[in-house]
């Protein structure tokens, strides 16, 4: 009888530990996924917002001017991010700085995920920030 209690305890502890490992891995994967989506979406949105009309040779011979359109960038970023984001999380997108010339953006995305376990709510927040500059090689 004494051995059966120890067996039950070991099996129960194993299930709890496996559940905890699965949960922490899910939180870590969400953070990595958020950064990857943010990086890829920012790069694609900057290329979508590239202003071809202003890509001209400067009158002083300094080279070509690279410029992005602010409204096109925000629209493209939000559209692409919503296509790639997880439906189980809540996101807050903050645009800190969008320079049209030279093209530079600063974005922070906050993600909140949570759930209910035994009538107790829990929330986990992730935050990723990126500063990106659009460059070209001539």
């Amino acid at each position: 009888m004494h051995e059966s209690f120890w067996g039950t305890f070991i099996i129960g502890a194993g299930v709890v530990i496996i559940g905890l490992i699965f949960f922490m891995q899910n939180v870590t994967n969400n953070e990595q996924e958020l950064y990857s989506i943010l990086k890829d979406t920012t790069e694609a949105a900057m290329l979508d917002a590239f202003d071809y009309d202003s890509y001209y040779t400067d009158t002083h011979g300094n080279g070509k001017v690279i410029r992005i359109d602010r409204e096109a960038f925000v629209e493209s970023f939000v559209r692409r991010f919503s296509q790639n984001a997880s439906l189980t999380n809540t996101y807050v997108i903050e645009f800190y700085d969008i320079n049209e010339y030279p093209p530079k953006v600063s974005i922070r995305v906050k993600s909140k995920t949570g759930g209910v376990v035994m009538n107790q709510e829990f929330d986990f927040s992730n935050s990723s920030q990126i500063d990106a500059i659009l460059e070209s090689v001539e």
Side-chain angles (χ1 to χ4, degrees), residues 63-133:
K64 298 188 185 289
V65 175
I66 299 174
R67 185 181 307 263
I68 62 171
D69 184 22
R70 179 180 308 214
E71 289 80 18
F73 172 76
V74 172
E75 178 184 348
S76 178
F77 182 87
V78 171
R79 178 179 48 85
R80 286 178 179 273
F81 191 85
S82 65
Q83 289 173 350
N84 295 323
S86 173
L87 296 175
T88 59
N89 296 346
T90 304
Y91 297 97
V92 176
I93 301 172
E94 299 172 349
F95 296 98
Y96 283 105
D97 187 22
I98 301 176
N99 290 338
E100 292 182 347
Y101 175 76
K104 176 202 171 281
V105 295
S106 297
I107 305 168
R108 177 180 290 160
V109 176
K110 296 178 182 176
S111 170
K112 182 183 276 189
T113 184
V116 178
V117 175
M118 295 193 303
N119 295 331
Q120 202 167 28
E121 293 184 18
F122 61 91
D123 290 327
F124 285 98
S125 298
N126 292 329
S127 177
S128 290
Q129 181 174 347
I130 192 167
D131 299 318
I133 299 171

Side-chain angles (χ1 to χ4, degrees), residues 17 23-24 29-30 32-33 51-52 58 62 64 71 79-80 111 114 121-122 130 134:
I17 290 172
F23 178 73
M24 293 307 292
N29 286 345
N30 284 342
Q32 292 173 353
E33 178 185 10
D51 190 5
Y52 290 101
D58 193 5
N62 294 335
K64 298 188 185 289
E71 289 80 18
R79 178 179 48 85
R80 286 178 179 273
S111 170
E121 293 184 18
F122 61 91
I130 192 167
L134 185 63

